Amino acid sequence: MKEISREYLKLYSSVIIQLWVIAAVCLAAFAVAGAFKGDKAWFAFIVCGLFGGFALVMTLVILIAPRVFEGKLKKYPKEIRDEIIGGKFVSLGNRRFYENHLLFYSRRKINLVRFDETESVEIKSIMKMELTLKSGKKLSLSTNPDENSAVIAAAFKSKNPQIKFIINGKTIENIDEKGMKK
């Protein structure tokens, strides 16, 4: 679990830094402009307070996310916990492909999805994919500019051949090893 937490915090540490830099720049800009003096100082205090408050809340959300995931993981059956904590996986970017599960980070959360619960993978853009689960829930799966979404989609296909692929709103048909539609 420590490795997952470390990986997650490494990924989102830049977000924390960016938020605090923006809050500091806002504070410095108002200070240099002299907005904290005079009868309109309340406006500068409110704006800086909003930026600082948002940075603080998001920092706490990011720092607490691994603990939240650990709590959810404790509720899973022992075989799933063993697979995630001590099992073998293949890393593909910031994603971990286990035997039966995909672990990935999205929107400041750690997500765990079973491959057999995944109905479709839709490539939305160069840097975004969307998973649709059989329950109807949709999860965003981001990719880096240097990653190929088709490779990630192929990794899904290797884990569950029934997963549908959607590109530009069109479902890609299953093709056998000879290039013929099944």
Side-chain angles (χ1 to χ4, degrees), residues 75-91:
K75 294 177 184 176
Y76 286 117
K78 183 178 178 358
E79 54 273 357
I80 294 175
R81 286 192 312 262
D82 291 343
E83 178 183 4
I84 302 306
I85 293 174
K88 294 181 181 179
F89 63 90
V90 174
S91 288

Side-chain angles (χ1 to χ4, degrees), residues 138-154:
K138 295 185 180 214
L139 297 172
S140 178
L141 181 67
S142 60
T143 59
N144 293 327
D146 61 340
E147 293 180 318
N148 188 339
S149 298
V151 172
I152 297 168

Side-chain angles (χ1 to χ4, degrees), residues 58-157:
M58 293 310 297
T59 300
L60 292 174
V61 166
I62 290 169
L63 294 176
I64 291 172
R67 297 284 181 198
V68 170
F69 177 71
E70 188 175 2
K72 287 180 184 177
L73 192 60
K74 286 180 180 177
K75 294 177 184 176
Y76 286 117
K78 183 178 178 358
E79 54 273 357
I80 294 175
R81 286 192 312 262
D82 291 343
E83 178 183 4
I84 302 306
I85 293 174
K88 294 181 181 179
F89 63 90
V90 174
S91 288
L92 195 55
N94 294 321
R95 290 159 293 282
R96 291 177 171 217
F97 286 84
Y98 291 93
E99 183 65 33
N100 299 311
H101 293 86
L102 169 69
L103 185 134
F104 66 99
Y105 315 111
S106 176
R107 298 183 182 178
R108 294 163 302 281
K109 293 193 314 192
I110 302 173
N111 297 294
L112 184 65
V113 177
R114 287 186 60 88
F115 290 115
D116 59 358
E117 290 177 356
T118 307
E119 187 174 280
S120 67
V121 176
E122 183 174 359
I123 298 174
K124 294 282 198 178
S125 67
I126 294 172
M127 296 181 64
K128 185 179 177 190
M129 298 173 73
E130 186 175 81
L131 304 178
T132 303
L133 305 180
K134 290 182 180 175
S135 65
K137 185 176 180 181
K138 295 185 180 214
L139 297 172
S140 178
L141 181 67
S142 60
T143 59
N144 293 327
D146 61 340
E147 293 180 318
N148 188 339
S149 298
V151 172
I152 297 168
F156 273 97
K157 192 71 163 176

